[in-house]
Amino acid sequence: MKQQLVILGSTGSIGVNTLDVVAMHPDRYQVFALTASTSVDTLFAQCCAVKPAFAVMADADSGRALQQRCASAGLLVDVLWGPQAIADMAAHPQVDTVMAAIVGAAGLAPCMEAARSGKRLLLANKEALVVGGHLFMAAVQAGGATLLPIDSEHSAIFQSLPDDVSTWKALVDKIILTASGGPFRTRAPETLHTVTPQEACAHPNWVMGRKISVDSATMMNKALEVIEAKFLFGVEPGQIEVVIHPQSVIHSMVQFVDNSVVAQLGTPDMRGPIAYGLSWPARIRSGAAALDFTRMAPLSFEPFTSNDHLRRYPGLSLAWRVLQGPDSSPAVLNAANEVAVEAFLNGQIRFDQIHSVNLETLDQVQFATPQALDALIALDAESRSVAQGLVRRLAH
């Protein structure tokens, strides 16, 4: 029988690539539902192409607009809207697999619902783990969900580890996350205050959305990945290392206690990890180009701890700080960063002030260990309010 698939965030880059992989395997997958924030035109085009049973928009205006478009086109798609409708799709009893590709903390609630419902959960949303942490992993365990990472780095680690999860801690010395260094890897750190949004979004290797592109430029995406790796693989913060690898060919590595290293390689194409998540433990065609080792440029590596890189990417070190702090610390960092990146993209603060907002928010918010999703949402709101106040101060 075909896997019934929900794609949360289908109009973003992960969602689009997921649909591309699914289209190559019509005998294996059927799209049950698609969700999006406000991109009515794109979601309508996707509905025309794959004819899901349901399509869900984040707000009522977008939902009614999509509903009218589908009705006019004679599409038999049940159009819903609102956060609860999105969460309901993630937990729908007819659904086998959920691709969680909603960007930001907005993806946490539907990810929790998918976990509690025991779905095969393909996690492209960093924030579910960064914000949810122990609560999210407890929901995965309680619901009996199968959690498969889709970030290229975490997919690479997953592919490099032994199949038996119970042996990971005894065998693994450290996890090595690779980072491209983004568009400013060789730019003089003292010039970063003049960076424009267009420059920050021009990633040298990957095609991504604007928010994650800025996170790659600051390497805050790597800070979030360090936090994510801690929860996904159950290692200590000191067992996670980051190296800069500009070519983005080695997606990440695992060093074992005998000092042997297993790495996963591939072209910088998200269809690779998406296909692996969809088909695990089997493998299917992804559409990604094969590596040609005879034409490959030399592979190089740089420590992010060099003096220049520490000045270029000051936010990366915050990952280890928050992992050694209260359980709620990563959620505060994530909320602050979302506010700061949006403010930068809107021209309210400078590129180099993103780190200032993140750091000061961590210093100002009072931490408490969240015991439920409502407490996490309240903490997220408080952190955003503090960060927004800092943005207003910097903007004047």
Side-chain angles (χ1 to χ4, degrees):
M1 293 182 63
K2 295 181 182 180
Q3 284 188 41
Q4 297 294 313
L5 174 67
V6 169
I7 304 176
L8 305 175
S10 67
T11 59
S13 60
I14 295 294
V16 169
N17 279 312
T18 301
L19 286 171
D20 190 47
V21 174
V22 166
M24 288 186 275
H25 304 278
D27 57 323
R28 299 178 66 111
Y29 308 104
Q30 182 170 334
V31 177
F32 181 79
L34 300 172
T35 84
S37 179
T38 57
S39 301
V40 173
D41 291 344
T42 304
L43 191 56
F44 173 69
Q46 291 176 343
C47 288
C48 291
V50 302
K51 298 178 175 58
F54 292 91
V56 188
M57 301 298 301
D59 63 76
D61 288 344
S62 300
R64 292 190 184 99
L66 179 65
Q67 189 177 57
Q68 185 174 10
R69 294 280 297 276
C70 289
S72 298
L75 287 178
L76 299 178
V77 179
D78 195 349
V79 178
L80 307 173
W81 50 83
Q84 186 59 54
I86 294 174
D88 289 345
M89 286 299 107
H92 198 286
Q94 290 179 243
V95 169
D96 307 301
T97 302
V98 176
M99 170 60 78
I102 295 175
V103 175
L108 176 59
C111 282
M112 292 283 282
E113 286 301 310
R116 292 188 188 113
S117 302
K119 306 301 184 187
R120 183 188 184 98
L121 179 54
L122 313 185
L123 191 66
N125 172 280
K126 291 181 179 66
E127 292 77 14
L129 276 166
V130 173
V131 177
H134 298 291
L135 283 176
F136 177 71
M137 292 306 294
V140 169
Q141 186 172 11
T146 300
L147 183 62
L148 298 167
I150 299 301
D151 269 353
S152 60
E153 295 83 358
H154 299 97
S155 176
I157 294 163
F158 184 72
Q159 294 180 58
S160 300
L161 285 167
D163 290 338
D164 185 358
V165 176
S166 64
T167 66
W168 285 358
K169 287 189 178 181
L171 298 179
V172 172
D173 179 45
K174 63 181 175 180
I175 283 170
I176 304 169
L177 293 168
T178 57
S180 70
F184 307 132
R185 181 179 62 85
T186 60
R187 180 162 170 162
E190 60 271 16
T191 70
L192 292 177
H193 66 285
T194 66
V195 165
T196 66
Q198 184 177 6
E199 290 173 321
C201 292
H203 196 282
N205 299 338
W206 297 91
V207 177
M208 305 179 293
R210 282 164 62 82
K211 194 269 181 183
I212 194 171
S213 294
V214 175
D215 282 348
S216 182
T218 62
M219 278 194 36
M220 183 52 65
N221 72 317
K222 207 57 51 178
L224 299 179
E225 287 169 15
V226 168
I227 298 166
E228 192 178 3
K230 190 268 182 201
F231 289 110
L232 273 174
F233 305 115
V235 294
E236 296 301 317
Q239 291 179 279
I240 306 170
E241 181 180 322
V242 173
V243 297
I244 293 178
H245 169 50
Q247 294 80 25
S248 296
V249 170
I250 296 177
H251 296 307
S252 278
M253 300 170 271
V254 177
Q255 181 172 305
F256 293 92
V257 291
D258 61 357
N259 287 334
S260 62
V261 176
V262 176
Q264 188 268 335
L265 286 70
T267 50
D269 188 326
M270 285 306 300
R271 291 177 297 177
I274 288 168
Y276 187 70
L278 285 168
S279 63
W280 179 86
R283 289 183 184 267
I284 57 174
R285 290 181 298 112
S286 68
L291 289 173
D292 185 343
F293 289 93
T294 65
R295 297 185 178 183
M296 189 184 299
L299 304 183
S300 61
F301 304 89
E302 305 163 9
F304 102 85
T305 51
S306 70
N307 287 336
D308 276 354
H309 285 334
L310 287 172
R311 293 168 63 202
R312 285 188 189 95
Y313 314 118
L316 179 52
S317 297
L318 294 178
W320 289 273
R321 168 180 163 173
V322 298
L323 285 176
Q324 291 162 353
D327 288 348
S328 56
S329 305
V332 175
L333 175 60
N334 177 76
N337 186 62
E338 287 190 18
V339 169
V341 170
E342 183 180 10
F344 165 68
L345 289 171
N346 291 338
Q348 296 171 271
I349 62 173
R350 301 192 312 263
F351 179 80
D352 61 320
Q353 291 175 324
I354 294 173
H355 176 62
S356 300
V357 173
N358 294 341
L359 187 61
E360 290 190 49
T361 302
L362 283 170
D363 288 340
Q364 290 189 26
V365 173
Q366 297 297 312
F367 295 99
T369 300
Q371 303 296 330
L373 181 58
D374 287 348
L376 273 176
I377 293 171
L379 177 64
D380 179 78
E382 179 190 356
S383 304
R384 288 172 189 274
S385 178
V386 170
Q388 288 160 355
L390 293 168
V391 165
R392 287 192 294 270
R393 191 187 74 194
L394 290 169
H396 285 83

